[in-house]
Amino acid sequence: MSEPGDRKTPFVVGWRDGFMINIPQVDREHKHLFELVKRLELSTVQATVDELLDYVVTHFTNEQKLMEDSNYPGFPAHLRLHEEFAGSVADFLGSGDEWTEDRVQELRRFLNKWLIGHIMTHDLRFGNWYREHHGTNVPEVIARPEKKVGWFDRLLGRG
Ligand SMILES: [Fe+2]
C-alpha cells in the first residue's frame, strides 16, 4: 500500500486545460504527449518510450515548421531548447541502465517537469506572439522530419 509522499507513488501530472497556448494543433499534440508520459509503466516501458520519442519528433517538427513559416523571431532560440531536450533524453536513455520502477519514475518526472516548464514559458510565448501577428486562424502543419543528423537523430539514437 502506498502512502501519500511514498517514493513509490508514481509522480505523474495529467494534462490540464491551463497548459493550452491556444494554437489548436500544438495543444492537441501536447495533450497527447502528457497521455504518453502517463502511460509509462515498467512492464511496457520500452514500447511506450519508443512511441513517445517518435511522437516527440513529430511534434517538435510540426511546432518548428509553424514557427519557421510564421517568421517567429524566437525560432532559433526555441530550436536550441528542443535540441537540448533531445540531448538530455538521449543521455538518460543512453546510460543503458536496466529499467526499474525508480528509473521509470525518474523519466516520468523529468518529462512532466520539462514539458510543463517549456510549454508554460516558451511555447506560450510563441502562442501569444502568433496571435498578435497572424490572428487566430492557424493552419495545420504536417511536417516530415528530414533525414539529417540533428536533434531528432540524437533522440532516436541515430546521431
Ligand atoms: Fe516547443
Side-chain angles (χ1 to χ4, degrees), residues 1-2 24 28 31 46-47 56 58-59 74 114 118 129-130 149:
M1 264 261 288
S2 299
R28 215 168 49 235
K31 189 174 183 180
Q46 199 54 57
V56 166
T58 300
H59 166 61
W114 189 87
H118 181 79
W129 177 89
Y130 191 95
V149 175

Side-chain angles (χ1 to χ4, degrees), residues 50-158:
D50 290 346
E51 191 177 339
L52 191 59
L53 295 185
D54 220 62
Y55 197 75
V56 166
V57 170
T58 300
H59 166 61
F60 279 3
T61 307
N62 289 342
E63 194 182 274
Q64 288 163 197
K65 173 126 175 64
L66 196 55
M67 288 178 179
E68 217 175 354
D69 289 355
S70 63
N71 294 312
Y72 178 49
F75 173 61
H78 202 106
L79 181 62
R80 277 199 299 280
L81 294 172
H82 287 176
E83 284 173 344
E84 277 168 30
F85 171 78
S88 304
V89 173
D91 286 349
F92 180 89
L93 297 173
S95 75
D97 291 349
E98 206 183 308
W99 285 108
T100 59
E101 289 287 357
D102 282 353
R103 190 163 182 249
V104 174
Q105 182 163 333
E106 198 185 333
L107 181 61
R108 270 197 304 257
R109 187 186 292 269
F110 169 76
L111 292 173
N112 268 163
K113 281 191 172 163
W114 189 87
L115 278 173
I116 294 166
H118 181 79
I119 291 170
M120 296 312 291
T121 309
H122 305 283
D123 291 342
L124 185 62
R125 190 175 298 154
F126 170 63
N128 292 339
W129 177 89
Y130 191 95
R131 276 191 316 287
E132 204 175 299
H133 292 82
H134 298 279
T136 50
N137 208 349
V138 191
E140 299 268 321
V141 296
I142 306 167
R144 197 166 294 151
E146 292 167 45
K147 298 289 175 208
K148 65 178 183 191
V149 175
W151 58 269
F152 62 88
D153 283 321
R154 282 206 298 284
L155 193 54
L156 297 174
R158 300 194 300 232

